């Protein structure tokens, strides 16, 4: 093997990078283990017992609450502590947390939301009073109808609809009043261009607002991104347990307000802050904790006294002392230890101005809880709000601003008064924002500025302060400038935000998936169990079948798994349950490369070649088959990644990484081990007495029996077509739209009873089926799915609770039921609106079509005959059709979920990739025989090729099926339907590669040859 030194260097470097990336995960796990130990001890149990006053159920609640608080305290204190040293680089716990392997929602629990910004509502707002015009209304109705059948952006559809409604009409008559860029003589094309720019800007503003909201919400490793579809935003929030709060947070319309401010030196402010500090200190010290049980909630518990006695006994790390030190500071001055008051640098006295103090972003949630608990100590008209950005990029420090409420609403002016805002430049060359107000707003603004000369007016958006300029003089005409430490981009952003008062862009949830932490934990356990069991089975299979060389393959497989997890950690990729399935499936497919190599080596040995030469020739002849097979599977995985979303992308990501990694480990690592064994004169065996002649010298006439098997395939497909036309498919909410819920009870339940009870609540019969154990069900309903009202989600959950409440042995409140209780209640929920369901269907169809087309083109080019491409294509269509047919025939019969959803599409594409891999191996051998035996009949070469690769085909299918059966039995209910599709697909794919793909290619080639001869004779 050439370039061994380069390969060794690359392999070692790759291994070191993976080990480095994985070490962060190990480090965070150790810190979190320490936090768990710190969070629960006898003192916590004793304190919980006192709080519960003899009520056992409450005692468990207090133990859980107090331990979680103590765990949070420990981790907060460790956030900026160095816990990991690599050479000269030091990493804090927060650094390590950001670099660990990310777990997806289905493993960690949390919320996945797709938001859609209502472009029609934006256009209606821009049209103002003109939106009531009949022509405008007709055009809007037509555009909405068009939107149901196309993915074209709504502004373009509106322009097309308006042209149909009023061929000679002018759009400028609707929008010139509210948009300065639209003139009365602007053409329709010019107006549509302006509208597109305005709606795009509205989407960008809404995206920025949502991102700011989520950043301040305190979610670890959130994912917020704009999707390719116009007006769509994806939000992933791992660990979220308050879905109702998140819905409100995400769907709330941007609220722009202008507030008067207090100054820190104003008489009531500092004394009030001191009182808050004292009151919180009493809670931390435990002196008033027992006295507050009547009103205490989880917020009050959230600052309960941390116990330091356990920490002093820690020997494994030095982190506990740091936790004690921080806890002591917070014990004495809990508020002032994390909130630094604003002080004048010269006088060293409290500074004038609206800034109360400074705090790290990570501490803002804790400070908010303190003010909430001690709010009775604060002036009634005081409101405290954080500045939306940090003081500088590196510090992570934000300012706390004191707002002064006026009247019931608090704000003295709202964003409705703004007519225009734009980025401008001041006389000194700095960036500023110029804004204009309507008549009413200008009058109010004149009064406010006149009364507050020398004081600040705060500009507040969604509860965060974007600017608090000091009023220099009265502003009589509603035109004013806001100056500050703005970069050009920040000034443009603030101008856009100010315009949000004029141009609201409401965002509605069109797809939602919530997974409770319990379901996530069970998914992890079942996934790891299936992974471990499948891994062991594959290792045993390879060892038993290939003897000592099987152990070499096993070393390559172990290295492959190590590299996969290392790359996932390095890329910051998210590991999901389908991702685990992708890794486990990669195990089975990774074996394929080793099997191809070993079977070729065995052929060379049977031909009488020496061991060293046989190994060299075996690897040499296996390269083309391995590369062709893996490239076709890789093409499918790439298509799946491009067109998939969420869990499907997770599956595709791990599959892509696994394919590339398995190529490296199978070809290079195993070869290097063999080279080392040969230099040591070690015995190398590739079989044993039981497997030595397995499937050798078979003489099956596969081409001769092809027509009989065409009929067999045709009959199976016909049965599927009949079932599809009569029974149809069980479409999941991904494709049909709707809501699904997974609920666990504290006793066994009957699905018919649940269905009847919910029918009374919903007015329609939902789908109810057992999901896993007999005390767990999955409910799917389309009740009010087409309504966009943000309160509908809560209404549906309330009705679900009312219908299911009688089936719990113990009384359970709505809050415990709906907040993803860890033992019983609502474990997970998913919502998919009709619009996004349509998009998923379209993307799924494109994914399958592009996958088939790319494979056809590659095979046709690689084997220089389009007939091979067509044979493979028809074979893949055969596999997909039979798998879909099985889902139609057996849904409702087999005891697990058989829904057609995104996971099912992932299964179909995986089957396509696997099947073409198998087919390409046979085609590769045919190509080799056609070169070696050019004068031999094509039928003979094809039969010989299929027979000679039969051992490889059975072995690869066998190892893959072993893996899939392990996942099926141990992977849990969540992915059983997905794995069933793969099981059917692998079996059918193996069959079709032998009995369909090659025979069809043979028939096509023979037909082409006959036509060519007939043409020559003429």
């Amino acid at each position: 093997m050439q370039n061994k030194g380069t390969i060794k260097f690359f392999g070692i470097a790759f291994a070191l990078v993976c080990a480095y990336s994985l070490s962060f995960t190990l480090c965070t796990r150790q810190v979190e283990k320490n936090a768990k130990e710190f969070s629960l001890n006898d003192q916590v149990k004793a304190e919980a017992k006192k709080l519960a006053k003899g009520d056992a159920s409450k005692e468990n609640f207090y133990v859980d609450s107090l331990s979680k608080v103590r765990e949070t305290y420990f981790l907060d204190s460790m956030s900026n502590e160095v816990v990991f040293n690599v050479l000269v680089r030091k990493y804090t716990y927060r650094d390590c947390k950001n670099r660990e392997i990310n777990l997806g929602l289905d493993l960690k629990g949390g919320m996945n939301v797709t938001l859609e910004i209502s472009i029609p509502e934006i256009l209606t707002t821009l049209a103002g009073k003109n939106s009531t015009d009949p022509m405008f209304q007709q055009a809007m109705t037509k555009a909405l109808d068009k939107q149901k059948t196309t993915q074209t952006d709504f502004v373009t559809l509106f322009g097309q609809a308006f042209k149909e409604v009023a061929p000679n009409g002018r759009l400028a008559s609707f929008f010139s009043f509210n948009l300065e860029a639209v003139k009365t003589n602007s053409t329709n094309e010019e107006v549509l261009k302006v509208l597109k720019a305005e709606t795009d800007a509205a989407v960008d503003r809404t995206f920025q607002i949502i991102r700011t909201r989520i950043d301040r919400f305190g979610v670890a490793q959130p994912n917020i991104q704009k999707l390719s579809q116009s007006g769509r935003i994806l939000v992933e929030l791992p660990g979220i347990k308050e879905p109702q709060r998140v819905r409100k947070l995400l769907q709330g319309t941007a609220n722009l307000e202008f507030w008067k401010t207090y100054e820190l030196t104003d008489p009531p402010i500092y004394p009030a802050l001191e009182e808050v500090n004292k009151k919180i200190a009493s809670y931390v010290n435990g002196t008033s904790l027992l006295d507050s049980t009547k009103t205490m909630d989880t917020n009050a518990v959230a600052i309960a006294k941390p116990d330091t006695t356990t920490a002093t006994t820690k020997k494994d790390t030095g982190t506990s002392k740091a936790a004690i030190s921080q806890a002591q500071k917070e014990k004495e001055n809990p508020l002032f230890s994390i909130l630094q008051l604003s002080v004048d640098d010269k006088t060293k006295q409290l500074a004038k101005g609206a800034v109360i103090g400074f705090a790290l972003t990570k501490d803002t949630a804790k400070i908010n809880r303190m003010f909430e608990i001690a709010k009775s100590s604060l002036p009634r008209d005081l409101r405290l709000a954080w500045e939306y950005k940090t003081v500088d990029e590196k510090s992570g420090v934000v300012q706390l601003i004191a707002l002064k409420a006026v009247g019931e609403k608090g704000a003295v002016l709202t964003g409705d008064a703004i007519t225009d805002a734009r980025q401008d430049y001041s006389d000194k060359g700095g960036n500023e924002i110029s804004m204009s107000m309507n008549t009413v707003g200008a009058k109010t603004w004149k009064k406010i500025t006149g009364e507050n000369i020398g004081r600040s007016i705060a500009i507040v958006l969604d509860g965060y302060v974007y600017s608090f300029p000091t009023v220099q003089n009265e502003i009589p005409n509603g035109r004013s400038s806001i100056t500050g430490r703005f970069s050009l981009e920040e000034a443009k952003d603030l101008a856009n935000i100010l315009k949000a008062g004029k141009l609201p862009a409401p965002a509605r949830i069109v797809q939602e998936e919530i997974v409770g932490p319990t379901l996530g934990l069970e998914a992890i356990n079942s996934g790891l169990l299936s992974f471990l069991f499948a891994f062991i089975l594959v290792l045993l299979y390879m060892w038993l079948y290939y003897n000592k060389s099987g152990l070499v393959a096993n070393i390559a497989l172990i290295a492959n798994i190590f590299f996969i997890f290392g790359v996932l950690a390095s890329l910051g990729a998210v590991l999901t349950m389908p991702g685990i399935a992708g890794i486990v499936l990669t195990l089975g497919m990774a074996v394929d490369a080793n099997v191809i190599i070993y079977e070729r080596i065995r052929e060379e040995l049977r031909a009488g070649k020496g061991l060293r030469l046989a190994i060299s020739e075996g690897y040499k002849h296996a390269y083309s088959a391995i590369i062709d097979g893996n490239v076709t599977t890789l093409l499918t995985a790439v298509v799946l990644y491009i067109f998939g979303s969420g869990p499907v992308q997770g599956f595709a990501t791990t599959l892509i990484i696994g394919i590339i990694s398995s190529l490296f480990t199978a070809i290079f690592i195993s070869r290097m081990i063999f080279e080392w064994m040969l230099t040591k004169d070690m015995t190398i065996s590739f079989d044993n007495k039981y497997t030595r002649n397995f499937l050798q010298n078979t003489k099956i006439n596969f081409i001769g029996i092809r027509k009989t098997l065409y009929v067999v395939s045709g009959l199976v497909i016909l049965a599927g077509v009949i079932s599809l036309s009569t029974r149809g498919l069980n479409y999941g909410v991904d494709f049909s739209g709707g809501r699904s819920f997974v609920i666990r009870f504290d006793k066994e339940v009957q699905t018919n009873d649940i269905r009847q009870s919910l029918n009374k609540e919903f007015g329609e019969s939902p789908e109810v089926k057992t999901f896993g154990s007999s005390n767990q069900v999955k409910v799917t309903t389309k009740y009010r799915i087409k309504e966009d009202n943000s309160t509908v989600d809560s209404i549906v959950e309330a009705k679900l609770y009312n219908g299911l409440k009688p089936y719990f042995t113990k009384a359970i409140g709505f809050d415990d039921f709906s907040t993803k209780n860890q033992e019983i209640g609502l474990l997970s929920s998913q919502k998919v609106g009709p619009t996004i369901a349509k998009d998923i269907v379209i993307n799924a169809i494109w994914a399958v079509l592009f996958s088939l087309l790319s494979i056809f083109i590659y095979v046709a080019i690689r084997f220089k005959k389009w007939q091979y491409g067509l044979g493979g294509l028809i074979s893949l269509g055969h596999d997909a059709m039979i798998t879909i047919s099985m889902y139609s025939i057996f849904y409702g019969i087999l005891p697990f979920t058989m829904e057609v959803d995104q996971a099912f599409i992932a299964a179909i594409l995986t089957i396509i990739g696997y099947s073409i891999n198998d087919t390409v191996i046979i085609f590769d051998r045919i190509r080799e025989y056609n070169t070696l035996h050019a004068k031999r009949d094509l039928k003979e070469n094809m039969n010989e090729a299929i027979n000679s690769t039969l051992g490889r085909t059975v072995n690869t299918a066998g190892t893959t099926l072993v893996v899939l059966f392990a996942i099926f039995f141990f992977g849990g209910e969540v992915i059983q339907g997905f794995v069933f599709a793969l099981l059917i697909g692998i079996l059918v794919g193996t069959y079709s590669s032998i009995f369909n793909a090659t025979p069809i290619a043979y028939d096509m080639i023979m037909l082409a040859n006959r036509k060519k001869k007939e043409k020559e004779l003429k």
Side-chain angles (χ1 to χ4, degrees):
M1 185 172 62
Q2 298 177 347
N3 302 317
K4 284 192 290 185
T6 303
I7 294 170
K8 283 182 180 179
F9 173 80
F10 180 77
I12 293 170
F14 192 23
L16 289 174
V17 170
C18 290
Y20 171 75
S21 299
L22 290 171
S23 63
F24 293 106
T25 302
L26 296 176
C27 183
T28 57
R29 294 294 181 270
Q30 182 60 48
V31 174
E32 287 159 9
K33 179 183 177 183
N34 294 342
K36 285 283 187 186
E37 294 174 358
F38 176 79
S39 68
L40 188 61
N41 62 11
D42 293 337
Q43 184 179 340
V44 172
K45 295 175 181 177
E47 191 168 359
K49 193 171 184 178
K50 290 179 182 178
L51 291 170
K53 296 180 179 179
D55 189 328
S57 61
K58 287 185 179 180
E59 184 177 335
N60 291 332
F61 166 76
Y62 285 123
V63 168
D64 185 54
S65 299
L66 288 169
S67 61
K68 284 180 180 177
V69 170
R70 290 167 55 78
E71 184 179 350
T72 302
Y73 249 78
F74 186 96
L75 294 177
D76 280 348
S77 69
M78 297 304 302
S79 183
N80 294 313
E81 295 292 332
V82 175
V83 297
F84 187 43
N85 293 305
V86 181
L87 299 177
V88 296
R89 186 73 185 271
K90 296 181 178 180
Y91 295 95
T92 64
Y93 171 68
R94 179 191 291 176
D95 295 331
C96 294
K97 194 70 179 172
N98 289 334
R99 287 171 171 81
E100 71 174 355
I101 292 180
N102 297 329
L103 298 181
L105 301 182
D106 49 358
L107 298 181
K108 187 175 183 178
M111 193 170 184
N112 179 309
V113 172
T114 300
L115 293 161
E116 184 175 62
I117 298 164
S118 178
I119 305 299
E121 287 193 29
I122 295 176
L123 294 183
T124 301
T125 302
L126 289 172
K129 295 180 180 179
N130 295 324
S131 63
T132 59
D133 186 285
M135 280 197 301
F136 183 91
Q137 292 289 332
Q138 289 178 40
M140 188 64 72
T141 302
K142 270 187 169 292
L144 289 169
D145 289 338
K146 288 174 177 287
Q147 191 182 37
K148 296 176 182 177
T149 56
T150 181
Q151 290 185 298
T152 305
D153 69 273
F154 189 82
V155 173
T156 302
L157 295 177
F158 176 75
Q160 295 171 356
F162 184 77
K163 188 174 182 180
E164 294 173 12
V165 172
N168 299 317
R170 297 183 65 82
L171 286 171
S173 62
F174 297 109
F175 299 102
S176 59
F177 179 77
N178 280 335
L179 290 172
E180 293 182 4
V182 176
K183 310 301 180 184
T184 54
N185 61 348
S186 295
T187 65
N188 287 355
E189 288 72 20
E190 291 172 339
V191 175
L192 289 173
K193 187 176 180 180
V194 173
L195 293 178
K196 188 69 171 66
E198 288 288 340
T199 53
D200 287 346
V203 172
D204 289 340
R205 289 200 298 275
T206 305
F207 173 75
Q208 294 296 337
I209 291 166
I210 288 173
R211 186 167 66 180
T212 301
R213 292 175 180 179
I214 294 302
D215 287 343
R216 295 303 175 84
F217 192 67
V219 180
Q221 299 175 324
N223 176 31
I224 307 107
Q225 56 182 289
K226 283 186 285 188
L227 300 179
S228 57
Q229 297 97 327
S230 177
R232 292 271 172 83
I233 298 172
L234 172 68
V235 180
E236 292 182 333
L237 307 173
I240 285 297
K241 301 175 186 177
E242 301 168 284
Q244 293 177 343
R245 182 182 170 198
V246 172
R247 292 184 195 119
K248 183 178 179 181
L249 178 82
L250 296 179
Q251 295 185 125
T253 304
N255 186 21
L256 177 68
E257 298 172 326
F258 295 83
W259 286 69
K260 289 185 177 182
T261 60
Y262 267 115
E263 295 198 353
L264 180 56
T265 53
D266 288 341
I269 303 303
Y270 179 68
L273 295 176
E274 278 195 316
E275 183 63 26
V276 170
N277 187 57
K278 290 178 182 178
K279 185 171 286 190
I280 299 304
S282 69
Y283 279 114
V284 172
N285 292 319
T287 56
S288 61
L289 183 61
L290 295 177
D291 297 334
S292 63
T293 53
K294 293 182 180 179
T295 58
M296 188 179 68
D297 57 11
T298 53
N299 286 329
V301 176
I303 55 166
K305 174 186 175 183
D307 170 38
T308 59
T309 57
T310 304
T312 59
T313 64
K314 297 286 179 284
K315 296 181 180 180
D316 49 355
T317 69
T319 58
S320 299
K321 292 182 179 180
I324 296 170
S325 175
Q326 179 66 19
Q328 186 65 29
K329 291 178 184 178
E330 295 187 15
K331 178 179 179 181
E332 296 171 357
N333 284 292
L335 177 61
F336 295 144
S337 66
I338 55 178
L339 176 66
Q340 180 184 340
L341 295 181
S342 180
V343 177
D344 188 287
D345 291 336
K346 294 180 179 179
T347 65
K348 304 303 179 183
Q349 301 296 315
L350 295 177
K352 293 183 178 181
V355 178
I356 292 293
F358 308 86
L360 291 171
T361 304
K362 75 177 184 66
D363 292 326
T364 56
K366 189 185 297 183
I367 294 171
N368 289 343
R369 290 199 299 268
M370 292 181 182
F371 283 129
E372 177 63 26
I373 293 166
K375 62 184 176 182
S376 61
S377 300
L378 299 172
R380 289 187 177 183
D381 60 350
L382 174 65
R383 304 289 186 272
L384 295 167
W386 298 98
E387 193 176 10
Y388 91 103
K389 65 176 182 178
T390 57
V391 173
D392 57 61
E393 293 181 359
K394 296 181 180 179
S395 67
V397 173
V398 288
Q399 299 182 124
L400 182 63
I401 313 301
L403 308 179
K404 186 175 183 178
V406 177
E408 293 182 3
K409 294 183 179 179
V412 290
L413 191 65
T414 65
D416 294 336
I418 303 294
T419 57
D420 190 31
R422 65 182 185 278
Q423 178 271 329
D424 210 337
Y425 297 98
S426 65
D427 295 336
K428 297 181 180 179
N431 293 294
E432 67 177 25
I433 296 93
S434 299
M435 62 181 183
S436 304
M437 296 183 181
N438 58 27
T439 305
V440 176
K443 184 177 179 180
T444 306
W445 192 236
K446 176 182 178 181
K447 180 182 178 184
I448 296 168
T449 53
E451 294 174 348
N452 289 273
I453 295 174
R455 297 181 71 96
S456 297
I457 297 293
I459 300 168
V460 181
L461 182 72
D462 288 333
Y464 291 99
V465 178
Y466 275 69
S467 179
F468 48 102
T470 300
V471 179
Q472 303 298 329
N473 46 53
E474 181 182 88
I475 303 173
N477 56 9
R479 291 184 177 272
S480 55
S481 298
I482 302 172
T483 58
R485 46 190 174 86
F486 302 124
S487 66
L488 177 62
E489 291 75 16
E490 288 171 338
K492 287 181 177 179
D493 287 345
L494 183 52
N496 282 337
I497 288 164
L498 289 172
K499 288 172 70 177
K502 170 194 169 191
L503 186 62
R508 293 192 175 91
I509 294 174
V510 293
Q511 181 180 14
E512 173 186 301
E513 183 176 6
I514 305 169
V515 180
T518 300
L519 194 62
L521 179 63
E522 291 172 358
I524 292 174
N525 292 336
S526 60
L528 290 177
L529 181 62
S530 66
F531 175 83
L532 181 62
F533 192 67
F535 191 49
I536 292 172
L537 285 177
V538 170
L539 296 179
L540 284 173
Y541 187 99
M542 292 298 291
W543 176 47
L544 292 174
Y545 193 91
Y546 288 108
N547 212 329
K548 286 187 178 180
S549 59
L551 296 177
V552 174
N554 290 343
I555 294 173
L557 283 175
I558 293 170
N560 187 30
I561 296 301
F562 173 71
F563 287 147
I564 289 173
F565 279 101
V567 172
L568 284 172
S570 300
L571 297 178
V574 178
L575 183 62
T576 62
M577 192 65 203
I580 290 178
I583 292 174
V584 178
L585 184 60
T586 301
L587 280 177
M589 299 180 72
V591 172
D592 183 49
N594 292 107
V595 170
I596 293 170
I597 293 168
Y598 289 179
E599 291 299 324
R600 289 307 301 246
I601 292 173
R602 289 169 66 172
E603 287 183 29
E604 300 298 333
L605 289 171
R606 282 192 292 271
K609 295 180 181 179
L611 182 61
R612 185 180 294 272
L613 181 60
I615 290 175
S616 177
E617 290 294 308
Y619 273 92
K620 179 181 177 181
H621 292 302
Y623 286 154
S624 62
I626 292 171
I627 292 172
D628 284 339
N630 281 275
V631 166
T632 50
T633 307
L634 189 63
L635 285 172
T636 304
V638 170
V639 170
L640 191 61
Y641 182 85
I642 293 171
F643 289 95
S645 62
V648 176
Q649 278 191 334
F651 178 81
T653 301
T654 53
L655 194 58
I656 291 170
I657 294 171
I659 290 169
I660 296 172
S661 176
S662 64
L663 278 173
F664 175 75
T665 55
I667 293 176
F668 296 113
I669 290 184
S670 63
R671 180 71 184 276
M672 288 177 62
I673 294 173
F674 281 131
E675 293 282 341
W676 175 79
M677 294 176 72
L678 288 170
T679 59
K680 298 293 183 179
D681 292 326
M682 298 176 67
T683 303
I684 302 174
S685 51
F686 291 88
D687 53 28
N688 54 53
K689 63 180 181 180
Y690 302 105
T691 62
R692 186 161 298 135
N693 297 313
F694 180 66
L695 293 177
Q696 296 301 320
N697 303 316
T698 56
K699 300 292 182 181
I700 301 172
N701 184 6
F702 292 102
I703 302 300
I705 61 173
R706 68 188 186 282
K707 293 181 180 179
T708 303
L709 295 172
Y710 288 166
V711 174
V712 172
S713 294
L715 291 174
V716 175
I717 292 174
L718 178 62
V721 170
I722 294 172
S723 179
L724 286 168
S725 60
T726 54
R727 299 190 79 221
L729 291 166
N730 181 23
Y731 291 106
V733 293
D734 285 359
F735 284 176
S736 62
R739 293 177 176 85
S740 67
F741 307 91
V742 175
I743 306 101
R744 179 181 293 160
F745 299 87
D746 53 3
K747 65 175 183 178
E748 294 184 3
V749 293
Q750 298 296 321
T751 55
N752 286 334
D753 296 338
I754 299 291
R755 188 180 298 108
Q756 292 174 11
S757 180
L758 291 177
N759 188 30
K760 295 176 183 177
E761 291 291 330
F762 293 138
E764 59 184 38
S765 183
E767 181 183 89
V768 182
K769 50 194 168 189
T770 301
F771 193 74
S773 58
S774 56
N775 68 328
Q776 192 167 288
V777 299
K778 184 174 185 180
V779 176
T780 304
T781 177
K782 293 181 175 63
Y783 177 68
R784 299 182 70 172
I785 189 61
K786 294 183 179 180
E787 296 184 37
D788 289 330
N789 192 323
S790 60
T791 63
V792 170
D793 294 322
S794 298
I795 293 172
V796 174
E797 282 194 10
K799 286 184 171 291
L800 182 72
Y801 167 71
N802 290 333
L804 299 179
K805 183 168 55 174
Y807 298 96
F808 289 92
T809 303
K810 298 178 181 178
I812 181 172
F814 176 72
D815 289 340
D816 289 335
F817 171 83
S818 62
T819 55
K820 311 301 174 285
N821 189 285
Q822 291 201 5
E823 294 182 0
I824 59 173
L826 183 58
L827 295 184
S828 70
S829 65
Q830 182 183 13
K831 171 191 171 186
V832 178
T835 304
I836 199 162
K838 176 192 70 178
D839 291 344
I840 291 171
V841 173
I842 293 172
N843 284 342
I845 293 172
W846 280 116
V848 174
L849 291 178
F850 271 108
S851 181
L852 291 174
L853 180 63
S854 61
I855 288 172
F856 169 75
I857 293 172
Y858 179 84
V859 173
I861 293 173
R862 192 75 174 89
F863 295 97
K864 299 178 181 179
K865 282 184 181 292
W866 62 266
Q867 289 89 347
Y868 286 110
L870 182 61
L873 192 64
I874 294 174
S875 174
L876 296 179
H878 164 275
D879 301 340
M881 186 62 194
I882 289 181
T883 305
I884 294 170
S885 298
M886 293 300 103
Y887 259 60
S888 174
I889 293 169
F890 290 111
Y891 88 81
I893 298 174
L894 295 178
F896 49 83
T897 301
M898 297 186 70
E899 291 182 346
V900 175
D901 52 15
Q902 290 189 80
F904 177 77
I905 298 302
I908 293 295
L909 288 171
T910 304
I911 292 164
I912 288 172
Y914 182 92
S915 180
I916 196 63
N917 185 328
D918 208 2
T919 302
V920 163
I921 301 302
I922 298 173
F923 285 175
D924 185 80
R925 187 59 65 93
I926 294 171
R927 179 176 56 189
E928 181 183 339
Y929 282 178
N930 284 340
T931 302
L932 292 174
H933 312 289
K935 294 183 179 180
R936 207 157 66 179
D937 184 62
L938 178 62
K939 180 179 180 180
E940 187 178 352
N941 277 340
M942 283 189 166
N943 274 326
E944 187 66 25
I946 298 173
N947 279 288
S948 64
T949 58
L950 203 56
R952 173 261 160 205
T953 300
V954 171
N955 270 322
T956 301
T959 52
T960 307
L961 288 172
V962 162
V963 169
L964 290 175
F965 274 116
I967 306 173
F968 183 80
F969 288 112
F970 297 99
E973 175 76 17
V974 178
I975 58 171
Q976 271 191 330
F978 170 77
V979 176
F980 178 76
L982 290 176
L983 282 169
I984 296 296
I986 298 304
L987 288 169
V988 175
T990 303
Y991 165 88
S992 68
S993 296
I994 298 172
F995 298 111
N996 290 147
T998 303
I1000 289 171
Y1002 172 80
D1003 284 335
M1004 293 296 103
I1005 292 171
M1006 296 306 294
L1007 179 62
N1009 289 340
R1010 279 199 301 271
K1011 288 185 176 181
K1012 184 178 179 181
K1013 288 181 180 179
E1014 290 174 359
K1015 191 174 181 180
E1016 289 174 352
L1017 289 173
K1018 290 181 180 179

